[in-house]
Amino acid sequence: MADSVRELAGAFKRFLAAQEEDEFLTTAAPVRAAVSTPAPAAPAPSTTGELPPMAADSTLDISFVHQHEPTAPTETSTMNKADKTRALAELAQTIASCTRCPLGATRLIAVPGEGNVNADVMFVGEGPGFDEDRQGRPFVGRAGQLLDKMILAMGLTREKVFIANIAKCHPMTDPLHPEKHGNDRAPNAQEIACCRKYIEQQIAIVCPKYVVALGGVAAKALISDAKSLGALRGQFHTLHLDSVELPKPVQIIATFHPAALLRNPNWKKDAWIDLQMVMDKLGLKGARK
Ligand code: URA
């Protein structure tokens, strides 16, 4: 035991001292080896998508760190409709009682997302607002009414697509007064990090052909943190997830958030161009050729 601790400490020192990439590669392996022997008691793999409990003696507060923890993968590659429905329902249950970030203490009802488990298109917004917080359903307020129109204009219906958000609980500017209107804000980086695995699992389970990221928060969370919505929209990107493997490649396109379109109706024509790109791929009528 003492030997393995000494070995770990030595390897960790070498790891910290390594400046060059070559050095990192040669020192990282011993660190991994030392860390993995003796093997720590692993938490039982979760079948519900629940996070493994933290070790009781852990002094690291990881609740706000962007986590790439290797949790029990959801086997998504061979899922039929019933499997998908079950996996999404289990995930929704986990989300309903999630307290990974402070939003869990102030939300009224969590909003996991909903829709067709075999959807070709999945829309992803930033997070629930006032109305969603009360109904537990995504995009049911004013922005949602516009999203419904966008979906219909594409030749689809709400029943044919899947709709979810990056954050599953209502981010409020004044969490002490959830009854206030105009109390919405975008989820912050820590809240997004805590929630990320939920949307990733939903995408992997539904495995749509196309994800439409609505607005900069969703676009940056799912495509690239480093770019603005303006730089990301108008083109397809191959989706890469942090915590789950996709059963097949998924393309993602970013466009304006319906709430932004309500404030800036002159952006609608650009949003329509983005949506037509998806329609074109799916062979839906009305797509620009
Ligand atoms: N805005 C979002 O991003 N998501 C919702 O569900 C509602 C409004």
Side-chain angles (χ1 to χ4, degrees), residues 18-278:
Q19 299 294 322
E20 304 296 331
E21 193 182 356
D22 279 358
E23 261 185 285
F24 170 78
L25 290 173
T26 51
T27 55
V31 169
R32 277 198 296 273
V35 167
S36 60
T37 32
S46 157
T47 51
T48 60
E50 200 118 36
L51 291 164
M54 281 181 63
D57 62 348
S58 174
T59 52
L60 270 182
D61 179 3
I62 58 158
S63 53
F64 296 124
V65 180
H66 185 148
Q67 296 172 18
H68 303 261
E69 73 270 45
T71 45
T74 308
E75 181 47 74
T76 54
S77 56
T78 55
M79 280 186 163
N80 60 28
K81 192 173 178 189
D83 292 337
K84 287 182 175 194
T85 304
R86 195 175 318 110
L88 288 167
E90 282 177 0
L91 195 53
Q93 258 185 354
T94 303
I95 292 167
S97 58
C98 178
T99 52
R100 282 167 62 85
C101 83
L103 296 184
T106 56
R107 64 158 183 254
L108 298 180
I109 310 178
V111 184
E114 66 185 27
N116 190 320
V117 300
N118 283 330
D120 283 341
V121 188
M122 181 159 171
F123 292 88
V124 181
E126 64 182 41
F130 182 93
D131 295 298
E132 292 76 19
D133 196 19
R134 275 149 185 81
Q135 295 188 37
R137 299 183 55 213
F139 281 100
V140 290
R142 275 191 73 221
Q145 285 162 17
L146 180 54
L147 178 61
D148 287 348
K149 287 184 185 158
M150 291 159 70
I151 292 169
L152 284 175
M154 292 175 76
L156 297 166
T157 58
R158 234 180 128 105
E159 291 68 40
K160 287 193 177 139
V161 303
F162 199 93
I163 305 176
N165 282 302
I166 297 288
K168 305 301 187 190
C169 300
H170 183 196
M172 292 176 233
T173 46
D174 180 1
L176 292 179
H177 293 98
E179 76 286 357
K180 277 206 304 208
H181 280 276
N183 195 8
D184 307 331
R185 64 169 171 81
N188 63 33
Q190 288 90 0
E191 291 153 0
I192 292 172
C194 289
C195 241
R196 167 177 293 279
K197 68 175 264 146
Y198 296 139
I199 187 66
E200 293 201 347
Q201 288 192 5
Q202 288 174 316
I203 295 172
I205 294 166
V206 175
C207 201
K209 293 188 174 117
Y210 299 97
V211 170
V212 179
L214 298 167
V217 169
K220 288 181 186 190
L222 294 175
I223 308 170
S224 165
D225 227 355
K227 296 197 180 161
S228 65
L229 176 64
L232 293 171
R233 58 161 292 274
Q235 59 191 298
F236 288 102
H237 309 260
T238 300
L239 182 62
H240 299 286
L241 302 179
D242 285 350
S243 61
V244 208
E245 231 172 87
L246 284 163
K248 61 179 172 51
V250 173
Q251 297 289 300
I252 178 166
I253 191 165
T255 194
F256 296 101
H257 192 286
L261 295 176
L262 288 172
R263 289 191 299 270
N264 305 282
N266 54 324
W267 292 351
K268 283 184 184 173
K269 60 181 181 319
D270 283 335
W272 183 230
I273 289 171
D274 300 331
L275 298 181
Q276 282 181 307
M277 289 174 68
V278 178

